[in-house]
Amino acid sequence: CAGTHRASGSVTDRQRPAWPELDARLGRLVPEAAAHGVTLSIVVHDLSGTYHGAAARAGSNETVKGASLVKLPVLVLLMDRVDHGEVDLDALVTIPAGSPNIVGGAGTLRHRAFPLEVGVRGLAELMVQVSDNTATNALIDVVGGVTAVDDHMAGLGFGTLHMGRKLIHPAGPPLRENYVDAGEVTELLTRIWEGTILSRASSDYVIGLMRGQLVDTKYGAVIPRQHLANKTGELDDVSHDAGFILLPGREVALTTTTAFSGIPRRRADAYVQQSATIVYELLHEPLPRGRGRSTRR
């Protein structure tokens, strides 16, 4: 599908002030996770301005299998198509009986009777909120295919957000696998928040879908839903979460990726949860004297 897996180190992750206290706390989690067989990468961006737009990073920020985090690039391209009048969220999509888009894994759509007509809006909700793989595959067709998603990310300057295949379809690594890294996912979230890659209405729609997330095994297990908008992702050897902590006046974008082998996924999930807890607890702490003022988008 896409031509090559792009090299890590994209310039999209803009230079931001350091966030030393958060760096230190998250940094202590990385060797603990490694000792238990989990490679952990965490990147946080201040969106509120309260922390001077700072960033915190822990771990190697290595490129990993994307799992369902690649549904975020699909959603971004979908809403770009909506912004340009090329896709209508109220349009109906027909999924024929026996379609290769009907796959197992996460989601409920595969259990319906086919052929089936589903609205684009409904497919987007299923893709994000229950991580439905069949809905995702149908939307990939709506936006123009796997290559269109991959090319759109490249056009935005992302070097490692790579879509090489539809969900659950066989992958022949490295070119036909789906890849992410924590830094670029956090940068994508930041651009959505700022409204620089989508219209304000479409950006708010994306965040609203993420606020309705129903998979609460990672960030959702430790952060109250009213303060969280997120998208999870997991396979047998990776487990991720990414999204926004929406504590008023202290909003941040956060991504945690993991890679592991030979251990239960719940152990990796526990470190994803701990990373979110560290960030959430710091955001509740009183600000040191002289901290920057809060700004809204």
Side-chain angles (χ1 to χ4, degrees):
C1 289
T4 59
H5 170 46
R6 299 179 289 275
S8 184
S10 168
V11 297
T12 59
D13 190 12
R14 70 193 80 171
Q15 192 66 34
R16 288 173 170 266
W19 201 339
E21 60 266 50
L22 188 52
D23 275 332
R25 296 184 198 186
L26 292 173
R28 288 192 285 271
L29 190 62
V30 172
E32 178 187 333
H36 291 88
V38 179
T39 300
L40 193 62
S41 298
I42 312 161
V43 177
V44 187
H45 287 176
D46 168 40
L47 303 173
S48 67
T50 297
Y51 304 91
H52 302 291
R57 309 163 199 278
S60 63
N61 197 37
E62 69 176 28
T63 301
V64 293
K65 293 178 185 177
S68 287
L69 286 193
V70 298
K71 293 168 183 173
L72 289 173
V74 175
L75 183 59
V76 166
L77 180 54
L78 173 68
M79 298 315 297
D80 180 80
R81 298 279 199 244
V82 170
D83 284 342
H84 287 89
E86 298 166 1
V87 172
D88 183 347
L89 287 176
D90 294 321
L92 293 176
V93 175
T94 299
I95 304 176
S99 168
N101 286 336
I102 303 169
V103 294
T108 59
L109 195 60
R110 70 185 188 276
H111 299 303
R112 303 279 294 277
F114 296 91
L116 179 67
E117 280 193 339
V118 188
V120 172
R121 190 186 306 273
L123 291 171
E125 291 172 359
L126 287 167
M127 178 175 71
V128 175
Q129 295 176 352
V130 298
S131 205
D132 196 293
N133 292 327
T134 298
T136 303
N137 287 345
L139 285 177
I140 289 170
D141 287 345
V142 168
V143 300
V146 167
T147 300
V149 177
D150 195 55
D151 288 348
H152 190 66
M153 289 299 103
L156 293 174
F158 291 102
T160 55
L161 291 183
H162 171 75
M163 175 159 266
R165 61 175 175 87
K166 287 185 174 180
L167 276 296
I168 307 299
H169 288 200
L175 301 187
R176 290 182 59 85
E177 186 53 271
N178 300 324
Y179 294 107
V180 300
D181 71 53
E184 290 207 341
V185 174
T186 302
E187 177 65 17
L188 183 66
L189 294 170
T190 299
R191 292 189 184 190
I192 292 168
W193 178 268
E194 294 173 343
T196 57
I197 58 174
L198 296 171
S199 69
R200 182 74 268 153
S202 288
S203 296
D204 289 343
Y205 178 73
V206 168
I207 296 167
L209 285 181
M210 295 172 70
R211 291 194 79 147
Q213 177 63 244
L214 296 174
V215 181
D216 282 341
T217 54
K218 291 180 267 282
Y219 290 173
V222 294
I223 297 178
R225 179 46 59 187
Q226 68 266 30
H227 293 155
L228 181 63
N230 66 308
K231 179 71 197 79
T232 63
E234 56 194 45
L235 296 168
D236 290 339
D237 54 358
V238 298
S239 186
H240 318 311
D241 210 340
F244 305 96
I245 297 179
L246 299 170
L247 197 63
R250 301 191 185 193
E251 297 88 351
V252 299
L254 166 66
T255 302
T256 310
T257 67
T258 73
F260 54 90
S261 63
I263 62 172
R265 189 168 58 221
R266 66 179 180 273
R267 294 189 189 174
D269 289 352
Y271 286 105
V272 178
Q273 293 169 9
Q274 287 182 57
S275 70
T277 296
I278 289 168
V279 176
Y280 191 60
E281 289 180 348
L282 182 142
L283 295 176
H284 278 84
E285 293 178 3
L287 292 172
R289 189 180 300 275
R291 274 292 190 185
R293 60 183 176 84
S294 172
T295 59
R296 293 289 292 168
R297 10 175 216 135

